Amino acid sequence: MTVTTAPPAARRTTTPPAPKRSRRRGIGVRAPWWFLLPALAVYALIVVWPSLTGAFFSVTDWNGVSPDWSFVGFDNFVSVIEGRRGLTALTNTLVLAFVVTIVQNLVGLALALGLNSLVKTRGILKVIFFAPVVLTPLVAGYIWSYLLAPSGALNEFLGAVGLSALQRDWLGDPQTALLAVSAEIVWQFSGYSMVIFLAGLQAIPEEVMEAATIDGAGPWRRFVSVVLPLLNGAVVINVMLSLIGGLKQFDQVVAMTGGGPGIATETLSTTIYKSAFTSGDYPGSIALAVLMTLLIAVLAGVQYRLTLRKADA
């Protein structure tokens, strides 16, 4: 007697060839990159290529007009660093960037902490503190230049409250001009830092704060041990944005002091502009631009690595 059994259903199931499925998956993974190609091409054309060309001409004596040029090595960089104007611009840029970064983020964090504890007036105050951000830097700079003028509102106020000894030409005094510019930048962009910190604060789970309170942590202990570690992402973004903005500062300096008195408030950006379009020192301006780019890249990279290392600790 012969018994015939049907083959198991699983044996009749055929699977698609593995290479064909892998090829489809590979095409699917690469597909989004094809959509980036137009944007990458435009970015390379208007940003990468001019930057590389500028870096190349920074080691030549090209005057920006003549077709002739020759290699001069690092002579342009040496003359810029040894020159009083370039060294002063570098020092002013670093001072302004660090002052603005520290004060702007402290003010923004304080405003965010205050607004986070309010409920009814939070929206109105947020608009008020954020309003200066929407002004163009040139307009804000001109407004402050009127306020800080010798006969401006600040000196009038100091005289009215009996503090005439503090009256001075804030933008005409080399001792106070750079700090006055820094104060204007802090005033205008603290609202920007506030919004980022406030978003970070509102993302902290209430259960975490309640648990810390139940464990007996006071306001300061909760801020140091709970709030600040959870705000690390907002701190990284705010510090990096304010540091880069301070290092390439141009608009407010032009509007408030024009780089003066003398060269007391010259920054790298204003010096690059004046060297190229006023003094005709095109090689020097290119060398300064390359130095500023390297400075921003190095400081931003170091700040980012230090912040990440602190977060991982």
Side-chain angles (χ1 to χ4, degrees), residues 85 271-282 285:
R85 193 183 192 91
T271 306
I272 290 170
Y273 175 80
K274 291 180 179 178
S275 297
F277 300 105
T278 303
S279 304
D281 183 13
Y282 198 74
S285 67

Side-chain angles (χ1 to χ4, degrees), residues 187-188 260:
W187 167 81
Q188 184 170 13

Side-chain angles (χ1 to χ4, degrees), residues 139-211:
V139 171
Y142 285 126
I143 293 174
W144 271 67
S145 65
Y146 286 115
L147 295 176
L148 299 178
S151 59
L154 180 58
N155 282 334
E156 292 291 336
F157 173 77
L158 292 175
V161 297
L163 297 175
S164 302
L166 298 179
Q167 291 178 331
R168 64 187 62 200
D169 186 0
W170 298 94
L171 298 178
D173 187 344
Q175 302 296 325
T176 58
L178 190 62
L179 292 178
V181 175
S182 303
E184 190 277 337
I185 299 171
V186 170
W187 167 81
Q188 184 170 13
F189 293 107
S190 290
Y192 196 82
S193 301
M194 174 201 71
V195 171
I196 297 176
F197 279 127
L198 191 58
L201 288 172
Q202 293 178 352
I204 298 176
E206 293 184 2
E207 294 80 3
V208 175
M209 301 301 294
E210 292 174 355

Side-chain angles (χ1 to χ4, degrees), residues 4-5 24 26 44 54 65 76 90 96 129 132 148-149 184 203 216-217 225-226 245 256 295 297 300 304:
T4 303
T5 58
R24 289 179 178 176
V65 179
N76 294 330
L90 178 62
L96 187 145
F129 292 132
L148 299 178
E184 190 277 337
S225 302
V226 180
M256 296 179 69
L295 181 66
Y304 183 71

Side-chain angles (χ1 to χ4, degrees), residues 1 15 23 29 45 49-50 67 89 125 151-152 173 201 207 209 220 223 232 236 241 267-268 271 275 280 306:
M1 179 178 178
T15 56
R23 185 167 56 252
V29 171
L45 181 64
W49 176 248
L125 294 176
S151 59
D173 187 344
L201 288 172
E207 294 80 3
M209 301 301 294
W220 177 250
F223 174 72
N232 185 67
V236 172
L241 291 177
T267 62
L268 289 175
T271 306
S275 297
L306 289 177

Side-chain angles (χ1 to χ4, degrees), residues 240-307:
M240 184 171 294
L241 291 177
S242 54
L243 180 63
I244 294 175
L247 289 174
K248 61 179 185 179
Q249 189 53 235
F250 178 82
D251 299 354
Q252 283 91 345
V253 176
V254 171
M256 296 179 69
T257 64
I263 55 173
T265 58
E266 288 282 11
T267 62
L268 289 175
S269 296
T270 59
T271 306
I272 290 170
Y273 175 80
K274 291 180 179 178
S275 297
F277 300 105
T278 303
S279 304
D281 183 13
Y282 198 74
S285 67
I286 297 178
L288 264 181
V290 172
L291 284 177
M292 188 177 74
T293 304
L294 294 176
L295 181 66
I296 292 174
V298 170
L299 290 180
V302 169
Q303 179 268 329
Y304 183 71
R305 294 295 303 174
L306 289 177
T307 309

Side-chain angles (χ1 to χ4, degrees), residues 82-153:
E82 290 181 344
R84 179 170 173 265
R85 193 183 192 91
L87 190 59
T88 302
L90 178 62
T91 304
N92 289 341
T93 301
L94 291 174
V95 171
L96 187 145
F98 282 104
V99 169
V100 168
T101 300
I102 295 172
V103 179
Q104 176 181 317
N105 285 286
L106 288 177
V107 173
L109 180 59
L111 292 175
L113 289 171
L115 290 180
N116 194 48
S117 61
L118 299 175
V119 179
K120 293 182 179 180
T121 59
R122 178 190 302 170
I124 299 175
L125 294 176
K126 193 188 302 181
V127 172
I128 293 174
F129 292 132
F130 190 76
V133 179
V134 302
L135 293 175
T136 60
L138 277 176
V139 171
Y142 285 126
I143 293 174
W144 271 67
S145 65
Y146 286 115
L147 295 176
L148 299 178
S151 59

